[in-house]
């Protein structure tokens, strides 16, 4: 039986209703946490769905309790009470009794640090837990798409490094999963990024890689950048490159930013945004 | 192995939507194309199209990259109600 459901809908009320429906419960049987209030946005910008977590009241899943913010606070309070108790007993044992006033003051001083540390640790733990699950699910998502594409022997490994998670695909049909100029790989990355944004709490960047494609592509882009810069210097004419996804344009901007005589900028709209390389205008001023 | 395009579309789309039960795909044949008409719950249409059609483009890229038995091309249409 499912005890917890996270629902997303344009308004908080709709989200709650959806969550209750999904669990088949009435409102008085459920504990509802509003994770995020919905935002209407303006002219389609800044719109955000409301997110609520609906839990069964008699649910006894420890993990779920940690996930919900309210109970986290209660937990911390309890921990603090325990600490206070500990300190009191410790003081009673070690120190000769002090006046009431000074005693409490001392306790407060001692408590300040553990409270913050604990809260941070709990919040971090909570995020890691949800995100780790989201990442696992996304890896599974890549595998099932690959299977449906006919790459039956496919596994996906993932590695997390400061807010960037790299999914590496191992498959006998890696070529197909990469596609011409990495088209399919980029499409997968796009879908994965969307899923991660939706599921994970913290902002995580997703990279999908297979057979060292990203590294190879980086070398290719480096060469392309150098060749283009040379051509621009020779012809003194701007050169327009093929449309590329933003992270590839970024790499070229970065390589050529070290080249003082050359300037780069992008034109057009995604997904047909392209890079223009030209002579630096500063020379003529 | 022959891949089932319909299943592939389903696999891709399912995690993207809020109402997976409302996913429906209709298949038809024309001279040059295998036509797939995808319809989802009206709340989900935006989710599978994405900003500036980014997600729709990604879905199409993957679906079109699969070869069909008779080398006919695949066309995916997202129905907008």
């Amino acid at each position: 039986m499912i005890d917890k459901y996270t629902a997303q809908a344009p308004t908080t009320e709709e989200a709650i209703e959806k969550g209750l429906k999904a669990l088949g419960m009435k409102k008085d049987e459920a504990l509802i946490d509003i994770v995020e209030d919905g935002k209407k946005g303006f002219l389609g910008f800044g719109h955000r769905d409301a997110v609520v977590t609906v839990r069964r009241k008699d649910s006894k899943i420890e993990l779920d309790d940690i996930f919900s913010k309210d109970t986290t606070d209660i937990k911390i309070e309890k921990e603090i009470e325990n600490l206070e108790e500990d300190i009191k007993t410790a003081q009673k044992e070690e120190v000769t009794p002090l006046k009431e006033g000074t005693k409490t003051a001392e306790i407060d001083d001692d408590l300040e640090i553990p409270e913050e540390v604990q809260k941070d640790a709990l919040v971090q733990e909570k995020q890691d837990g949800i995100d780790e699950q989201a990442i696992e699910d996304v890896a599974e998502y890549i595998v099932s798409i690959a299977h449906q594409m006919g790459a039956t022997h496919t596994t996906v490994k993932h590695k997390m490094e400061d807010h960037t998670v790299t999914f590496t695909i191992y498959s006998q049909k890696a070529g197909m999963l990469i596609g011409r100029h990495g088209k399919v790989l980029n499409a997968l990355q796009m879908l994965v990024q969307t899923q991660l944004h939706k599921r994970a709490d913290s902002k995580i960047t997703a990279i999908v890689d297979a057979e060292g494609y990203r590294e190879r592509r980086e070398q290719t882009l480096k060469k392309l950048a150098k060749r283009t810069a040379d051509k621009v210097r020779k012809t003194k004419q701007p050169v327009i490159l093929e449309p590329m996804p933003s992270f590839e344009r970024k790499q070229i901007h970065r390589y050529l930013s070290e080249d003082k005589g050359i300037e780069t900028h992008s034109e057009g709209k995604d997904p047909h945004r392209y890079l223009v390389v030209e002579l630096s205008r500063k020379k003529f001023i | 192995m022959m891949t089932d395009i319909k299943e592939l579309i389903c696999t891709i789309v399912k995690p993207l939507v809020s109402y997976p039960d409302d996913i429906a795909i209709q298949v038809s044949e024309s001279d040059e194309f295998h036509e797939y008409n995808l319809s989802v719950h009206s709340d989900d249409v935006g989710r599978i199209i994405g900003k500036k059609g980014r997600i729709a483009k990604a879905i199409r890229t993957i679906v079109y990259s699969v070869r069909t038995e008779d080398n006919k091309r695949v066309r995916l249409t997202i129905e907008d109600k």
Side-chain angles (χ1 to χ4, degrees):
Chain A
M1 193 199 277
I2 316 165
D3 280 327
K4 184 176 164 248
Y5 186 88
T6 308
Q8 196 182 355
T11 68
T12 317
E13 289 75 34
E14 278 176 75
I16 292 172
E17 210 157 282
K18 204 164 121 188
L20 291 174
K21 210 174 140 196
L23 295 175
M25 282 191 298
K26 283 183 195 130
K27 204 165 183 175
D28 52 0
E29 293 174 317
L31 282 173
I32 295 160
D33 289 315
I34 296 163
V35 182
E36 206 171 320
D37 274 319
K39 267 189 212 158
K40 266 246 171 79
F42 179 66
L43 295 175
F45 292 107
H47 165 83
R48 247 168 131 179
D49 276 355
V51 180
V52 301
T53 310
V54 182
R55 282 176 304 139
R56 203 171 289 281
K57 252 186 194 160
D58 47 33
S59 160
K60 285 200 178 74
I61 300 171
E62 277 283 318
L63 269 177
D64 283 358
D65 286 343
I66 298 174
F67 285 157
S68 104
K69 256 185 201 159
D70 294 347
T71 36
T72 313
D73 285 344
I74 293 168
K75 267 216 159 165
I76 290 167
E77 267 165 36
K78 267 189 192 157
E79 296 268 6
I80 292 168
E81 267 173 38
N82 287 344
L83 273 178
E84 221 163 330
E85 213 71 43
D86 284 351
I87 292 166
K88 266 187 196 161
T89 33
Q91 281 185 335
K92 264 183 201 156
E93 278 166 12
E94 283 172 22
V95 191
T96 38
L98 292 161
K99 276 178 195 169
E100 271 305 300
T102 35
K103 200 167 163 187
T104 32
E106 256 175 47
I107 292 165
D108 283 346
D109 278 349
D110 284 345
L111 278 173
E112 246 169 77
I113 304 148
E115 182 183 17
E116 264 176 37
V117 170
Q118 274 193 344
K119 217 166 192 166
D120 278 357
L122 273 170
V123 168
Q124 195 54 48
E125 206 172 281
K126 173 189 144 199
Q127 279 193 349
D128 286 353
I130 294 172
D131 292 354
E132 186 55 39
Q133 186 57 46
I135 291 167
E136 293 281 344
D137 290 349
V138 165
E140 190 50 45
Y141 180 53
I142 301 173
V143 172
S144 51
I145 292 176
H147 273 225
Q148 289 297 335
M149 288 173 78
T152 37
H153 298 284
T154 300
T155 49
V156 172
K157 287 207 174 108
H158 60 84
K159 210 175 95 192
M160 183 82 168
E161 231 169 330
D162 38 71
H163 298 288
T164 304
V165 60
T166 308
F167 297 93
T168 312
I169 302 173
Y170 298 91
S171 173
Q172 88 281 21
K173 287 190 176 175
M176 180 185 77
L177 296 173
I178 295 171
R180 257 187 85 217
H181 297 310
K183 247 170 78 181
V184 179
L185 205 61
N186 288 345
L188 284 170
Q189 181 166 304
M190 154 95 239
L191 291 172
V192 161
Q193 182 74 76
T194 316
Q195 283 290 299
L196 269 189
H197 265 313
K198 207 169 99 184
R199 297 275 317 271
D201 264 12
S202 41
K203 207 168 180 189
I204 303 174
T205 310
I207 296 173
V208 178
D209 195 8
E211 284 193 334
Y213 176 78
R214 299 283 177 216
E215 172 65 30
R216 274 201 327 265
R217 182 75 180 151
E218 198 182 326
Q219 295 310 320
T220 312
L221 290 176
K222 225 176 207 168
K223 276 184 213 153
L224 174 74
K226 258 186 207 150
R227 259 202 335 264
T228 314
D230 289 344
K231 195 174 160 191
V232 169
R233 257 189 293 269
K234 223 164 88 188
T235 62
K236 298 194 169 31
Q237 291 294 314
V239 172
I240 293 167
L241 296 177
E242 293 278 298
M244 268 177 243
S246 60
F247 56 91
E248 292 188 358
R249 289 197 310 270
K250 198 168 153 191
Q251 289 176 23
I252 296 189
H253 282 308
R254 204 177 53 225
Y255 299 138
L256 293 183
S257 68
E258 291 157 17
D259 199 326
K260 290 288 173 261
I262 294 287
E263 260 183 17
T264 59
H265 69 271
S266 298
E267 282 174 15
K269 281 188 172 174
D270 262 328
H272 297 290
R273 205 163 155 76
Y274 55 86
L275 217 138
V276 180
V277 184
E278 58 193 341
L279 283 178
S280 179
R281 266 167 259 162
K282 280 169 199 149
K283 254 166 96 178
F284 304 110
I285 299 166
Chain B
M1 189 200 118
M2 185 57 216
T3 49
D4 187 347
I5 305 274
K6 204 173 157 177
E7 278 298 305
L8 173 62
I9 298 171
C10 247
T11 310
I12 299 171
V13 172
K14 215 170 239 171
L16 300 175
V17 298
S18 304
Y19 303 92
D21 293 340
D22 291 355
I23 299 173
I25 301 166
Q26 277 193 330
V27 195
S28 60
E29 299 284 320
S30 61
D31 284 348
E32 279 176 81
F33 295 102
H34 293 282
E35 308 257 5
Y36 290 85
N37 271 321
L38 169 66
S39 71
V40 293
H41 191 281
S42 55
D43 289 359
D44 284 332
V45 176
R47 286 199 180 89
I48 59 166
I49 293 177
K51 263 187 221 152
K52 293 174 191 163
R54 248 185 256 181
I55 298 177
K57 191 180 176 250
I59 297 172
R60 288 202 175 105
T61 304
I62 294 171
V63 173
Y64 295 170
S65 74
V66 178
R67 286 199 134 216
T68 53
E69 236 168 12
D70 47 9
N71 279 330
K72 254 199 221 175
R73 287 177 59 202
V74 173
R75 182 145 69 187
L76 175 65
T77 314
I78 295 164
E79 294 207 359
D80 193 6
K81 279 169 276 184

